[in-house]
Amino acid sequence: MAAKDKNPPVRLLCSDIDGTLLGKADAAVAFARTWESLPEKQRPLLVYNTGRLLEDVQRLIKKKRLPVPDYCICGVGTVIYDYRKSECIKAFSVVLEDGWDLAKAEEVVRDCMPEAVRQPEHFQSPYKTSWYAHCEQPELDALEDRLSDTGLQVNVVYSSGRDLDVLPKFADKGNALVWLLKRLGIAREQCLVAGDTGNDNAMFLKRGVRGIIVANAQPELLERMVGRNGMYRAHGTCADGVLEGLMHYGVISEIVEGDPEEALSHAPEIQHLVEEEHTSPLSESDLAFIQEGYRHAIDGIRRNITPKGFSACSLEDNNTRGTDANYRSVWARDGAVTIVGTIELDDPDIRACQRATLDTLINCMTPTGQIPANVSLDTGEPDYSGVGGICSIDSGLWVIIAFAEFIRATQDFGFLRSHIDSLQKAMDWLSAHDSNNDALLEIPEAGDWTDLFGRSYHVLIDEVLWFRANIAFGRLLEYLGDRKRAGDYLRWAGSIKKKIFREFWPSVNAAGELNYTFADSQASMGDTSYLLAQITPFDHDWRCDVYGNALAFLFNVIDHEHAQTAFRFMWGSGVNEPFPVKNLYPPVESGDPNWKRYYTVNLLNLPQHYHNGGIWPLVGGVWVRFLNRLGLRELACEQLVKLAELNHAGAFYEWEFNEWAHGLTGKPMGKAYQAWSCSEYIAACHEIGLVDDV
């Protein structure tokens, strides 16, 4: 593939490791194989630029998890190691000495931030003192002032909402890279960098360099990249995103896929769980079955196209009268989820319906910014509540997310400009639900997609969507050149992410490391293996919201390590049996303190039914993408076959793509040709890459 930019050829690739090259096992293997396949004379120099110490990097290379580089910048820019000569470059270390005193720096941190916890010794070096700390920008500014007042010339680097590094003034990833470029006689314009967190900012901000921002980049990096030219925003995560960027810049022309067994061996924490069910590559019959389902899913989407936007289910194939009359509507959450799931389709009718859906919902917004729960297809009248007259909080959240995806795909900035004022009101309305300014929304009972289920206050799925909505709206503002406000929303997204993790993933171990109190971590839970379903000031719901946890990983709220932990629990609990996947584990039984009398309304939320542990093809599609993002592509393919079997079963006919199925029997229930059941199947097929020949 020819390069899409006019810059000089890339002579040096400088990449972060964790969350960039590592974090998705199959992608890391593909990167190594692709890089090693390049002819030596055409291959740019490879430099790792990492917060890890040199010994850690050498262990990774020895285990063949990374290709051997030419140089390695370690310890957040405090050491440069020449792999060809097997030695550290001493001339660089001399530069770091000026204005540096390790003991004094540690003394100031302890005095200025008494709650900060010094990281274990293997994270320390003579030119880096590293700490765990929860802090905001004013606290970091105060620390920098105190360090300066003592005569130290240092850099303070804070990343991932947790990691605090104090380094010599010249020591950061960017300065070390520039020093190496000068030593090698390589112009900055011939350098390509890749990263995902705040400590990578220093590389990206160097004038002249080009960059690859992987899709799982953290808010602190996205904030600093607002308005920056020469930066490629990858659609893929981790090494998938790096490979995508290398294709964009013309460094590679094709990707060499790795061996799935080798990829699985890079994830020993989960390897033994899936070995027995881990299948060989898809058979031709399985692939044909998946692709048949893909064609039927697109047909299902077409059955939901109306002049006003997507219906929730096919109006011609379902009873939509009497108590089901509200199905004759454009539903905000259903329509927005359908937009996101079908966004990669190059189909003019579907694209037009995506736009019509957004138009219909936004044009019916209240003056204060509330997106309607649904808009009647027959009368055009909006309804702002659901069952019991409760407002739908996630309607606005999903519309913001879907609008950003639509603009990313279409680049229709005129459409964006026509609605940006309304979208701002929608964000303001949502923000008003954070009544105590703690970064999380307060949700009324049954105020989201589980509209007959008793969750309230801080609800996992809604807080995950709130994080994503802030990222999405920041991106929309960036498209319009409003850099300051874009940065504000991306910065706030970082605060939301930290708050979600602090509240919803309690851990006794984290209490010592990050100064959680027992109240903060809901100590009665001990150590959990997933994000809890709900937190209130007085109680918590300890159940596992499968949808919320899977989306949290796909939306970059939790990292790969925690996603693996959640996967181990969910897989071991059988949430994917008999079909993928139950939305909740375990279901709420009658007599349980969380049981509500209204769960028997229409017999919908009996145990193993509907939102109470029912199987949802919607969530099944997200589950498949969750597995693929973990680097378990073959397992994701196997689960996609099972999802196809569920969608094929039908309550009356084949390929009905029903709304939900019974959690034990797997028998399809609910409406046929449910739009989001179709769209999430389509999204899963696209993400795994099984639709090229359809």
Side-chain angles (χ1 to χ4, degrees):
M1 177 181 292
K4 296 181 180 180
D5 64 319
K6 298 180 181 179
N7 286 288
V10 173
R11 292 182 57 195
L12 184 146
L13 171 65
C14 183
S15 179
D16 174 51
I17 293 179
D18 296 289
T20 304
L21 292 179
L22 297 184
K24 189 171 182 290
D26 60 341
V29 172
F31 172 79
R33 298 295 162 263
T34 302
W35 191 262
E36 291 164 352
S37 73
L38 291 173
E40 189 171 346
K41 291 184 179 180
Q42 299 177 19
R43 187 190 306 158
L45 295 177
L46 178 60
V47 179
Y48 298 141
N49 202 337
T50 176
R52 290 178 181 251
L53 299 183
L54 178 60
E55 293 77 10
D56 286 337
V57 180
Q58 289 173 324
R59 277 194 291 270
L60 287 174
I61 295 169
K62 189 174 182 180
K63 292 179 180 178
K64 298 185 178 180
R65 294 187 64 181
L66 291 169
V68 177
D70 297 282
Y71 295 91
C72 189
I73 300 172
C74 300
V76 198
T78 58
V79 172
I80 301 179
Y81 184 79
D82 186 335
Y83 254 88
R84 294 174 297 186
K85 296 182 179 179
S86 299
E87 64 182 22
C88 292
I89 301 178
K90 295 181 180 179
F92 179 72
S93 301
V94 174
V95 176
L96 303 181
E97 296 287 350
D98 188 33
W100 174 248
D101 186 321
L102 176 63
K104 188 179 290 187
E106 294 193 339
E107 180 183 344
V108 172
V109 174
R110 287 193 181 94
D111 185 50
C112 194
M113 290 186 168
E115 294 186 352
V117 177
R118 192 173 184 270
Q119 293 183 15
E121 201 60 39
H122 60 271
F123 292 124
Q124 312 294 335
S125 83
Y127 298 105
K128 179 172 75 80
T129 177
S130 298
W131 304 74
Y132 295 120
H134 282 304
C135 50
E136 302 296 337
Q137 193 59 47
E139 297 169 273
L140 295 173
D141 293 341
L143 175 61
E144 287 183 336
D145 290 342
R146 286 286 299 276
L147 289 163
S148 178
D149 291 343
T150 61
L152 294 173
Q153 299 179 38
V154 299
N155 272 327
V156 175
V157 179
Y158 187 61
S159 61
S160 302
R162 180 186 81 160
D163 299 320
L164 175 69
D165 297 311
V166 180
L167 315 160
K169 183 177 182 179
F170 191 79
D172 65 30
K173 286 187 170 185
N175 287 336
L177 171 59
V178 169
W179 189 92
L180 181 60
L181 289 173
K182 288 181 179 179
R183 181 180 178 91
L184 297 174
I186 296 175
R188 296 187 189 186
E189 291 75 14
Q190 296 174 304
C191 174
L192 180 61
V193 302
D196 72 306
T197 67
N199 68 15
D200 297 318
N201 279 327
M203 293 194 296
F204 285 96
L205 292 173
K206 291 303 179 184
R207 178 179 48 82
V209 302
R210 289 168 284 172
I212 302 168
I213 303 172
V214 293
N216 54 297
Q218 300 302 311
E220 67 261 21
L221 176 61
L222 297 176
E223 176 197 344
R224 297 296 298 276
M225 293 300 104
V226 170
R228 296 281 300 181
N229 295 323
M231 300 297 145
Y232 178 75
R233 295 174 183 265
H235 188 62
T237 60
C238 302
D240 277 340
V242 176
L243 289 168
E244 182 186 328
L246 292 175
M247 291 278 284
H248 171 81
Y249 288 112
V251 177
I252 61 175
S253 58
E254 62 180 356
I255 295 171
V256 181
E257 299 294 343
D259 179 3
E261 293 296 334
E262 182 182 357
L264 192 59
S265 71
H266 287 186
E269 303 87 350
I270 57 180
Q271 182 178 11
H272 70 284
L273 288 176
V274 300
E275 278 179 336
E276 293 181 1
E277 301 186 48
H278 180 62
T279 60
S280 57
L282 282 176
S283 66
E284 290 187 8
S285 61
D286 282 342
L287 179 58
F289 185 58
I290 288 172
Q291 293 181 338
E292 181 186 1
Y294 180 80
R295 290 189 288 270
H296 283 284
I298 292 177
D299 175 66
I301 293 296
R302 293 188 184 282
R303 292 171 186 253
N304 283 281
I305 291 177
T306 79
K308 288 186 172 68
F310 292 115
S311 55
C313 67
S314 171
L315 304 182
E316 295 183 359
D317 298 286
N318 292 282
N319 175 25
T320 57
R321 301 297 175 185
T323 57
D324 288 330
N326 62 0
Y327 275 95
R328 300 187 61 79
S329 304
V330 175
W331 282 82
R333 74 171 68 95
D334 296 63
V337 169
T338 302
I339 291 170
V340 175
T342 59
I343 203 66
E344 300 301 329
L345 293 177
D346 184 15
D347 182 292
D349 294 334
I350 293 175
R351 187 72 81 211
C353 195
Q354 293 168 349
R355 182 185 176 112
T357 302
L358 295 170
D359 260 332
T360 294
L361 295 167
I362 295 172
N363 290 338
C364 289
M365 188 180 72
T366 67
T368 56
Q370 182 181 3
I371 298 289
N374 63 81
V375 177
S376 170
L377 290 168
D378 298 320
T379 68
E381 289 296 313
D383 179 6
Y384 298 96
S385 62
V387 178
I390 301 167
C391 72
S392 170
I393 300 295
D394 61 341
S395 293
L397 295 168
W398 271 117
V399 166
I400 296 291
I401 294 167
F403 202 103
E405 284 296 292
F406 182 81
I407 298 302
R408 177 189 64 79
T410 65
Q411 301 290 290
D412 190 347
F413 300 122
F415 186 59
L416 170 57
R417 282 189 287 271
S418 71
H419 283 306
I420 190 61
D421 291 341
S422 296
L423 294 171
Q424 180 66 68
K425 286 183 180 180
M427 286 297 293
D428 293 343
W429 185 84
L430 290 164
S431 297
H433 288 80
D434 178 10
S435 62
N436 58 1
N437 198 39
D438 70 345
L440 301 183
L441 303 183
E442 286 86 58
I443 310 298
E445 185 167 328
D448 59 18
W449 86 287
T450 58
D451 48 13
L452 275 173
F453 208 68
R455 292 185 189 150
S456 62
Y457 203 71
H458 290 166
V459 180
L460 174 62
I461 184 68
D462 301 304
E463 308 304 349
V464 169
L465 294 176
W466 178 227
F467 166 79
R468 188 65 172 187
N470 275 266
I471 295 287
F473 192 66
R475 186 66 173 138
L476 292 174
L477 291 172
E478 185 179 358
Y479 284 136
L480 296 178
D482 193 341
R483 299 179 182 181
K484 181 181 183 306
R485 287 201 301 146
D488 289 342
Y489 278 97
L490 294 171
R491 191 178 309 114
W492 189 239
S495 298
I496 296 167
K497 175 178 177 175
K498 286 189 286 187
K499 186 69 172 179
I500 291 173
F501 191 78
R502 184 183 179 94
E503 284 210 1
F504 286 87
W505 196 296
S507 172
V508 172
N509 290 333
E513 181 181 283
L514 293 175
N515 300 294
Y516 284 69
T517 66
F518 279 115
D520 287 332
S521 61
Q522 302 283 340
S524 61
M525 283 295 299
D527 285 309
T528 59
S529 298
Y530 51 85
L531 294 161
L532 303 184
Q534 168 194 283
I535 302 292
T536 79
F538 314 106
D539 201 0
H540 61 274
D541 184 346
W542 50 267
R543 286 177 169 81
C544 178
D545 178 348
V546 178
Y547 190 28
N549 275 271
L551 273 185
F553 184 45
L554 294 177
F555 284 171
N556 303 317
V557 175
I558 58 174
D559 60 21
H560 189 270
E561 178 183 355
H562 288 89
Q564 280 191 342
T565 300
F567 167 76
R568 287 199 298 270
F569 177 85
M570 292 187 288
W571 184 265
S573 301
V575 299
N576 59 309
E577 297 293 344
F579 296 108
V581 68
K582 298 178 177 71
N583 76 303
L584 181 73
Y585 177 83
V588 181
E589 304 283 347
S590 178
D592 187 285
N594 289 325
W595 178 264
K596 305 284 185 179
R597 291 182 61 187
Y598 63 77
Y599 287 1
T600 60
V601 171
N602 294 335
L603 301 181
L604 272 179
N605 275 317
L606 302 178
Q608 310 291 348
H609 283 235
Y610 207 50
H611 293 129
N612 191 10
I615 294 170
W616 288 74
L618 156 73
V619 189
V622 172
W623 170 256
V624 170
R625 293 166 54 212
F626 170 76
L627 297 178
N628 187 61
R629 171 80 176 269
L630 278 171
L632 303 173
R633 186 178 184 276
E634 286 202 4
L635 187 62
C637 289
E638 181 233 71
Q639 292 290 288
L640 185 56
V641 172
K642 294 185 70 174
L643 180 59
E645 291 171 353
L646 173 62
N647 289 325
H648 173 262
F652 299 101
Y653 305 102
E654 292 182 350
W655 296 113
E656 280 190 348
F657 288 87
N658 296 90
E659 183 179 12
W660 62 282
H662 191 275
L664 287 180
T665 68
K667 298 297 184 183
M669 296 185 175
K671 300 298 182 184
Y673 304 106
Q674 193 80 13
W676 64 15
S677 297
C678 298
S679 70
E680 287 308 300
Y681 183 85
I682 290 169
C685 289
H686 276 277
E687 183 144 330
I688 297 179
L690 297 180
V691 294
D692 292 343
D693 299 324
V694 174

